[in-house]
Amino acid sequence: MLHPAMRCHRLALGLGFCLLAGTALCALWLWVNRLPLSYVPYYLPCPEIFNMKLQYKGEKPFQPVAPSPYPQPKLLEQRPTELLTLTPWLAPIISEGTFNAELLQHIYQPLNLTIGLTAFAVGKYTGFVQRFLESAEQFFMHGYRVHYYIFTDDPKAIPRVPLGPGRLLSVIPIRERSSWEEVSMRQMETVSQHIAERAHREVDYLFCLSVGMVFRNPWGPETLGDLVAAIHPGYYAVPRHQFPYERRHVSTAFVADSEGDFYYGGAVFGGRVGRVYEFTRGCHMAILADKANGIMAAWQEESHLNRRFISHKPSKVLSPEYLWDDRKPWPSSLKLIRFSTVDD
């Protein structure tokens, strides 16, 4: 039988060991939870169908909105000359007169943000890059650090446009594709892969824009949000059953006549870099599923973008002044045009 003093000694040692182990585990837990989010590539078992999938570790899976019938929000619901300013899910709809630009500058500039901008210049579209970049230098995120990423199959054709302080241009080679449709179908994949490999370390927000357009008025921090969509200029005043959604049930981009909020343009979307990664990866996975079944959605990536925005609501919506078609007459509901098409 152990002496009482010996038992006390062993008990003290045991308690001390448990305390030390608990402290070590607590410190390890705190250290792990402070690690930055990481983007780690991994490969699917069917490379002949699915090339590469990139996983964004550290973020809880985003739960899509459960489908339920509700009336379509209408951009011109109040009066023909006044735009709706708030969606039914309480996301602001941004247009001239809905924000104070000076106040937003005071809020966002101290945050020391870097804004990324991606565009694809393939084939004849390399000829649009100079005007696109020159207009961006004049109007896009003036006063902020900006990193342009131009994806192209002909790097030598990309002009070197003079850039302001804190603004960078990266020309990123991509493989030449046999058709524009194939290029379009690969854009979500390319952007998600680029974020995983590089952009998540370089930018805070990322916008994906069409190179065949130009900036015509200031585009500033009023557009920043977790996940940002832009209303298509061709369908902002029509009922949703007339939207050019993918209507075939066999496609992952299928949208029923009773579904949909706005028809969003594929030429403009963006948000926080992590959310853009999740969004583009989700669209890419849906495109691959269609490809495995021999299906191409009606409007390629734009169809998948619209399907995903129905279940993953944008936190901010840009009015058509941020995505306009200059071939259309300028409506009285738009006070100015910020980003619009150029002639081919």
Side-chain angles (χ1 to χ4, degrees):
M1 187 172 178
L2 292 175
H3 191 274
M6 184 67 71
R7 286 203 302 270
C8 290
H9 180 67
R10 289 189 175 184
L11 181 60
L13 285 175
L15 289 173
F17 177 77
C18 290
L19 181 62
L20 182 62
T23 303
L25 287 172
C26 183
L28 180 61
W29 182 86
L30 289 172
W31 180 76
V32 168
N33 278 275
R34 288 181 181 179
L35 286 175
L37 300 176
S38 61
Y39 301 72
V40 180
Y42 71 88
Y43 295 85
L44 291 174
C46 303
E48 68 279 4
I49 300 176
F50 307 105
N51 288 327
M52 182 163 72
K53 181 178 178 182
L54 297 158
Q55 185 177 19
Y56 174 67
K57 293 181 67 180
E59 182 172 331
K60 293 181 180 179
F62 184 82
Q63 297 300 319
V65 177
S68 60
Y70 57 88
Q72 175 194 353
K74 296 178 181 178
L75 193 63
L76 299 174
E77 194 166 42
Q78 297 168 336
R79 295 183 204 143
T81 58
E82 289 186 17
L83 300 180
L84 190 69
T85 58
L86 199 65
T87 69
W89 60 95
L90 302 182
I93 301 174
I94 306 301
S95 62
E96 180 66 13
T98 63
F99 60 91
N100 184 311
E102 185 177 352
L103 176 61
L104 290 178
Q105 286 288 81
H106 284 302
I107 293 171
Y108 281 97
Q109 278 201 323
L111 300 180
N112 205 26
L113 299 172
T114 300
I115 317 300
L117 190 161
T118 70
F120 285 78
V122 177
K124 70 174 185 177
Y125 285 89
T126 56
F128 292 90
V129 173
Q130 181 157 353
R131 191 172 176 185
F132 175 82
L133 290 176
E134 287 175 348
S135 69
E137 280 298 284
Q138 184 177 0
F139 293 118
F140 182 75
M141 293 293 174
H142 191 263
Y144 293 85
R145 292 199 307 268
V146 172
H147 198 146
Y148 302 106
Y149 301 104
I150 304 296
F151 299 94
T152 181
D153 59 351
D154 187 5
K156 293 181 181 178
I158 304 302
R160 297 298 171 178
V161 174
L163 303 178
R167 299 168 82 92
L168 303 172
L169 170 63
S170 293
V171 177
I172 303 170
I174 57 175
R175 189 158 60 91
E176 187 175 356
R177 304 293 179 183
S178 58
S179 65
W180 176 250
E181 287 77 13
E182 188 179 0
V183 172
S184 173
M185 294 296 283
R186 292 283 186 172
Q187 288 186 17
M188 294 292 186
E189 174 190 17
T190 302
V191 171
S192 63
Q193 182 174 335
H194 176 67
I195 293 172
E197 294 176 348
R198 176 178 172 181
H200 74 277
R201 297 189 301 269
E202 298 177 342
V203 302
D204 301 291
Y205 291 86
L206 185 69
F207 285 96
C208 305
L209 307 183
S210 170
V211 77
M213 304 183 74
V214 292
F215 295 89
R216 303 193 185 277
N217 278 290
W219 175 311
E222 74 280 359
T223 61
L224 298 179
D226 277 357
L227 189 58
V228 181
I231 297 174
H232 195 291
Y235 302 97
Y236 70 94
V238 301
R240 61 187 171 192
H241 70 268
Q242 294 181 16
F243 291 168
Y245 288 143
E246 173 56 68
R247 301 299 187 180
R248 293 173 295 172
H249 288 79
V250 292
S251 173
T252 58
F254 167 73
V255 178
D257 286 346
S258 60
E259 288 186 291
D261 304 305
F262 306 102
Y263 188 79
Y264 301 108
V268 174
F269 67 94
R272 286 188 180 274
V273 67
R275 289 298 303 276
V276 176
Y277 170 76
E278 289 292 334
F279 185 84
T280 53
R281 187 187 67 169
C283 288
H284 175 52
M285 291 298 106
I287 290 168
L288 290 180
D290 271 8
K291 184 178 179 182
N293 290 315
I295 301 166
M296 179 181 288
W299 291 100
Q300 294 92 41
E301 291 199 331
E302 188 172 86
S303 295
H304 289 278
L305 173 142
N306 272 279
R307 172 67 263 179
R308 193 159 181 88
F309 271 135
I310 292 173
S311 56
H312 298 69
K313 302 293 190 192
S315 63
K316 185 170 285 187
V317 176
L318 306 182
S319 75
E321 70 183 48
Y322 291 88
L323 176 55
W324 189 248
D325 183 348
D326 282 343
R327 294 168 296 186
K328 296 180 177 296
W330 188 342
S332 58
S333 56
L334 298 185
K335 297 181 176 65
L336 78 168
I337 303 299
R338 299 179 189 273
F339 190 58
S340 66
T341 56
V342 294
D343 295 330
D344 291 346

